[in-house]
Amino acid sequence: MLEDYWAIEENNGIETFVFSNNEFLKKYIDTGYFSNLRNIETLAIYQVEECAVCLNSFNIVINDRAHLKSYSQSINKSCRVCSHYQSSIETISN
């Protein structure tokens, strides 16, 4: 069930969820697993091939499907170290 919840597919370079929220609910709402899912915290690991700054690959913890959607659609994905570095430079220059 969790695999279905997080499952994504890529079409023309755009990642989308295999199941919409409504499709997922229809498939699992009447199962005991669904009630258990509502009571636990799930996280996913999103693997990024290349940091926009250091060019290294990295993983990021994703909290929910909305977070995954917004992060996967962002243009410049930076690893934690580079993000903190960029943030500190912006703070100093302001």
Side-chain angles (χ1 to χ4, degrees):
M1 181 174 74
L2 285 174
E3 286 182 27
D4 284 349
Y5 180 77
W6 290 108
I8 57 172
E9 59 189 358
E10 187 174 329
N11 293 319
N12 298 324
I14 299 172
E15 292 179 335
T16 58
F17 290 107
V18 172
F19 295 99
S20 70
N21 286 335
N22 287 336
E23 291 169 330
F24 181 80
L25 287 173
K26 284 180 187 176
K27 184 174 181 178
Y28 289 107
I29 196 152
D30 293 328
T31 67
Y33 298 118
F34 182 76
S35 62
N36 290 339
L37 178 64
R38 292 177 43 195
N39 294 321
I40 64 171
E41 181 178 347
T42 61
L43 304 171
I45 304 297
Y46 184 79
Q47 192 172 39
V48 180
E49 292 182 20
E50 187 175 274
C51 171
V53 179
C54 70
L55 308 179
N56 292 323
S57 63
F58 66 97
N59 295 332
I60 183 165
V61 174
I62 300 295
N63 302 316
D64 54 33
R65 289 174 63 149
H67 184 201
L68 177 59
K69 184 177 181 180
S70 69
Y71 191 81
S72 66
Q73 292 176 352
S74 66
I75 296 169
N76 293 318
K77 296 175 181 75
S78 299
C79 66
R80 177 185 271 179
V81 172
C82 292
S83 292
H84 287 301
Y85 179 72
Q86 285 178 318
S87 176
S88 66
I89 289 174
E90 291 171 3
T91 303
I92 292 171
S93 65
N94 289 332

